[in-house]
Amino acid sequence: MFSLIKNMTIRKRIVFIFLTLSTFLILLFISVFAYFEIGNAQDTYKQLSRQTANGLAFMPALEEAVSSSDHDELQGIIDRVRLQAENPVVTVVTRDGEYIIHPDENHIGITEETEQFDQTLLYGSYVTESGEGALGPAIMTTAPIYEEVDANGGERIIGAVTVEYLEESINAIIVSKLTRLVIVASIGMILCVGGALFLARSIQEDTMGIEPAVIAEMFREREAMLNAVKEGIIVIDDKQAISLINPSAKALLDSSMELRQSIQLLGLPETLFSGKPSYDEEKVYQGKTFITNCIPLYENKQIVGAICSFRDKTDMKQLQETVMQIEGYADSLRAQTHEFKNKMYVLLGLIQLEQYEEALKVIQEETADKRQAFPMLKNIKDPGAQAILLGKLVKAAEKKIALIIEEASHLDKTKIAAADMAIMLGNLLDNAMDAVLESEEQRITVMVTDVGSDIVIDIEDTGPGMTKEQTGQIFTRGYSSKGENRGYGLFHVYEAVKKYCGEMEVTSPAEGGTVFSIYLPKGEEVKK
């Protein structure tokens, strides 16, 4: 039953529920009403028959008519009383049980032996009961008729009067009342169904004709999408109250800041009042830079709210730098391949000209600079680290910088992503190359080892070094001594190190130069 209702449309479901409930309540009401009405009718007509019978029995005119056997006068009295007492059936008998008034004239003058009058004629009892009357089942009361026999108040029974209300007539009255009640209930049910149809239509208009099950599915999908998307999303209504905010937005915004301040900073009120969208605008507060997109929301050509999607510029900058790092490695490898081909052509020409000594000299010159470095790469088995070091060796050679990999370096394959390795190693080596460009001795020494419980990366350069103030600020987002729109590289390195539960140190010896040290635990899980 439940599944059947669940599969109905919202209109059918509402009508079915309203119709079922209204039918049940109406039937229950009619049943209760009929039960009490039947009981009340029985009591009412018993009381009415008792009052009418007593009234007739105590009428002096009736007593005289019975004593004188004046049938016409007796009938006239009874007809007048019947008109005032809802037309009951009245019978009158003499002391001997002879009918002198009966609805069936054939019974008049006949004496019948019946227990109906026994108690009344013998003992003067007033009897009210339900039984077989003159014309059928009825509620009846039998009362004695007395006659004075002397001046001292003596009386004797001279007959009895019976007032009967037929059960058929009583039931007809009850059915008539129930019929009127059913008609009223039917009208109420029609109004109820009409109200259900109106309610269903109103709900469908509010839901744009979409069924509740579909709305629930759409809501689950929306929640999943809002939770999965990395961009922050905030929606406000026309009163600037926040109607939606996803977890990414809460994470990006400062938890200590009121949400109303946040929507002001993001520019949502401006979009709401002006109706003009804004795209890729930078909003800065508390050291964070957001790229925001705000557009107004319309309903029936009226602005009803605004939505803003935003993202930390640092994430975009990090992605951009990672892409640039990978592109740089690819360019370096292409340049190395091109250079290698050219030298091979030179060697091929010298050998064909049988200039063997010159060919040997070229080979010796080519391998002299790389004799120390390239064998060391064999001990670096992590693909990401190996590719980065190889690319940086080529780049350093182009800039005439000595990039030395320590003989003790060793690194097995790690769980560190190639992109994260590119951020850590690549940024540090690029900074080291920039630092030694103006130095007399342009040398960079790299030490990578995984001996022990940590992966240790040391990069030492012969640059001018850094002051104490600089070493305390270099990991701050946006800090740079190289000009504007810089200062993200070391911040990204620091973030990548923290992602792998690592530590980072920087020292600047008195004799000059800078040493960057990274310590990454081997067994730690990556922080999401």
Side-chain angles (χ1 to χ4, degrees):
M1 185 66 179
F2 179 75
S3 61
L4 177 63
I5 296 175
K6 191 175 181 181
N7 292 329
M8 292 180 179
T9 62
I10 184 64
R11 181 187 293 268
K12 292 181 180 178
R13 194 181 305 176
I14 292 176
V15 172
F16 175 80
I17 292 174
F18 270 66
L19 187 60
T20 302
L21 288 177
S22 60
T23 302
F24 173 76
L25 292 175
I26 288 172
L27 290 176
L28 179 63
F29 176 72
I30 291 175
S31 300
V32 173
F33 176 83
Y35 174 78
F36 286 106
E37 185 63 24
I38 291 171
N40 290 336
Q42 296 282 341
D43 294 338
T44 299
Y45 282 98
K46 282 181 180 179
Q47 184 177 0
L48 185 58
S49 68
R50 189 179 300 116
Q51 291 174 349
T52 305
N54 290 343
L56 285 169
F58 284 103
M59 289 179 67
L62 183 72
E63 176 191 340
E64 292 178 4
V66 172
S67 298
S68 61
S69 298
D70 189 348
H71 182 273
D72 293 334
E73 178 66 18
L74 189 60
Q75 187 66 51
I77 294 171
I78 290 173
D79 287 341
R80 288 193 296 273
V81 172
R82 289 179 63 198
L83 290 174
Q84 298 174 2
E86 297 189 18
N87 200 27
V89 175
V90 179
T91 59
V92 180
V93 297
T94 64
R95 180 73 179 79
D96 299 326
E98 177 186 343
Y99 282 107
I100 56 176
I101 294 294
H102 195 284
D104 187 356
E105 293 183 357
N106 296 326
H107 284 73
I108 295 176
I110 298 176
T111 301
E112 293 184 356
E113 292 183 4
T114 174
E115 296 178 358
Q116 179 180 353
F117 302 103
D118 290 349
Q119 286 184 320
T120 302
L121 294 175
L122 292 176
Y123 305 108
S125 301
Y126 293 84
V127 179
T128 301
E129 60 183 353
S130 296
E132 189 67 26
L135 298 179
I139 295 174
M140 54 189 146
T141 297
T142 303
I145 302 173
Y146 289 93
E147 178 187 28
E148 290 187 7
V149 294
D150 55 41
N152 295 325
E155 294 179 330
R156 66 174 181 176
I157 298 174
I158 62 173
V161 61
T162 301
V163 177
E164 303 176 5
Y165 288 95
L166 296 176
E167 290 187 0
E168 182 180 354
S169 300
I170 297 173
N171 293 336
I173 295 172
I174 295 174
V175 170
S176 177
K177 290 182 179 180
L178 291 177
T179 301
R180 290 194 295 271
L181 180 62
V182 169
I183 292 173
V184 173
S186 299
I187 295 173
M189 186 179 296
I190 292 171
L191 293 175
C192 186
V193 172
L197 289 172
F198 175 78
L199 176 62
R201 183 177 179 182
S202 176
I203 292 174
Q204 282 192 321
E205 288 178 354
D206 293 339
T207 59
M208 296 180 291
I210 304 174
E211 292 298 318
V214 178
I215 293 175
E217 183 63 28
M218 292 171 64
F219 178 79
R220 285 192 293 268
E221 291 175 357
R222 189 197 72 159
E223 289 298 306
M225 179 187 68
L226 291 175
N227 291 331
V229 71
K230 194 173 182 180
E231 287 190 345
I233 298 175
I234 294 181
V235 180
I236 63 172
D237 58 20
D238 55 351
K239 297 179 182 178
Q240 299 188 38
I242 295 176
S243 57
L244 184 148
I245 180 169
N246 71 334
S248 296
K250 294 179 182 179
L252 289 170
L253 296 173
D254 188 357
S255 59
S256 63
M257 178 179 290
E258 292 185 4
L259 291 176
R260 185 168 291 276
Q261 288 182 275
S262 301
I263 65 175
Q264 293 284 346
L265 290 169
L266 295 172
L268 274 169
E270 298 175 11
T271 303
L272 180 65
F273 295 130
S274 67
K276 296 179 180 179
S278 61
Y279 301 100
D280 299 329
E281 288 192 358
E282 292 191 9
K283 306 289 183 180
V284 181
Y285 83 100
Q286 294 187 353
K288 292 183 179 181
T289 302
F290 293 136
I291 305 297
T292 65
N293 294 281
C294 298
I295 59 173
L297 301 176
Y298 290 90
E299 183 177 332
N300 297 327
K301 298 182 180 180
Q302 296 291 326
I303 296 178
V304 295
I307 181 171
C308 178
S309 64
F310 60 97
R311 189 166 185 173
D312 194 342
K313 185 179 178 181
T314 306
D315 295 336
M316 301 176 68
K317 189 72 176 176
Q318 181 178 359
L319 179 61
Q320 183 181 7
E321 288 186 358
T322 302
V323 173
M324 291 177 64
Q325 289 274 7
I326 301 301
E327 288 179 348
Y329 303 148
D331 291 339
S332 298
L333 292 174
R334 281 195 294 270
Q336 186 180 6
T337 302
H338 182 71
E339 182 183 359
F340 181 76
K341 285 182 179 179
N342 289 336
K343 292 178 179 179
M344 289 298 293
Y345 290 140
V346 172
L347 287 175
L348 180 61
L350 291 174
I351 291 173
Q352 287 179 343
L353 295 173
E354 298 181 357
Q355 300 291 327
Y356 302 118
E357 292 183 3
E358 289 295 327
L360 183 59
K361 185 177 179 182
V362 169
I363 293 172
Q364 290 174 345
E365 289 177 355
E366 178 63 21
T367 58
D369 295 333
K370 300 178 179 59
R371 189 173 296 125
Q372 293 180 340
F374 282 106
M376 297 301 103
L377 289 177
K378 293 181 181 179
N379 295 328
I380 307 297
K381 299 177 182 178
D382 183 76
Q386 193 177 64
I388 294 163
L389 289 173
L390 179 60
K392 295 305 180 184
L393 282 170
V394 176
K395 185 176 180 180
E398 292 175 354
K399 295 184 177 183
K400 307 301 182 184
I401 298 173
L403 179 56
I404 301 170
I405 300 176
E406 293 285 355
E407 292 184 4
S409 295
H410 180 275
L411 182 64
D412 288 328
K413 187 174 181 180
T414 67
K415 295 181 180 179
I416 300 174
D420 293 330
M421 187 65 79
I423 290 173
M424 291 185 285
L425 264 179
N427 277 296
L428 290 180
L429 288 172
D430 285 341
N431 285 348
M433 290 182 194
D434 291 341
V436 301
L437 283 177
E438 304 298 330
S439 302
E440 293 184 5
E441 183 182 8
Q442 299 179 353
R443 188 181 77 253
I444 300 172
T445 305
V446 179
M447 175 68 178
V448 181
T449 180
D450 57 359
V451 177
S453 58
D454 294 334
I455 297 172
V456 181
I457 301 174
D458 286 330
I459 297 177
E460 180 182 1
D461 64 61
T462 56
M466 289 186 291
T467 63
K468 222 177 237 188
E469 181 181 352
Q470 288 176 321
T471 57
Q473 296 181 358
I474 57 173
F475 298 124
T476 304
R477 183 202 312 253
Y479 174 80
S480 176
S481 60
K482 302 175 185 178
E484 296 182 358
N485 296 323
R486 303 292 296 271
Y488 289 95
L490 287 176
F491 172 76
H492 290 153
V493 173
Y494 183 75
E495 290 293 313
V497 170
K498 289 298 181 184
K499 178 179 177 180
Y500 292 91
C501 305
E503 297 291 338
M504 188 171 178
E505 294 180 356
V506 56
T507 57
S508 195
E511 59 272 17
T514 306
V515 180
F516 285 90
S517 300
I518 296 175
Y519 305 94
L520 303 173
K522 291 181 182 179
E524 292 291 337
E525 294 292 331
V526 179
K527 290 183 179 179
K528 300 296 182 185

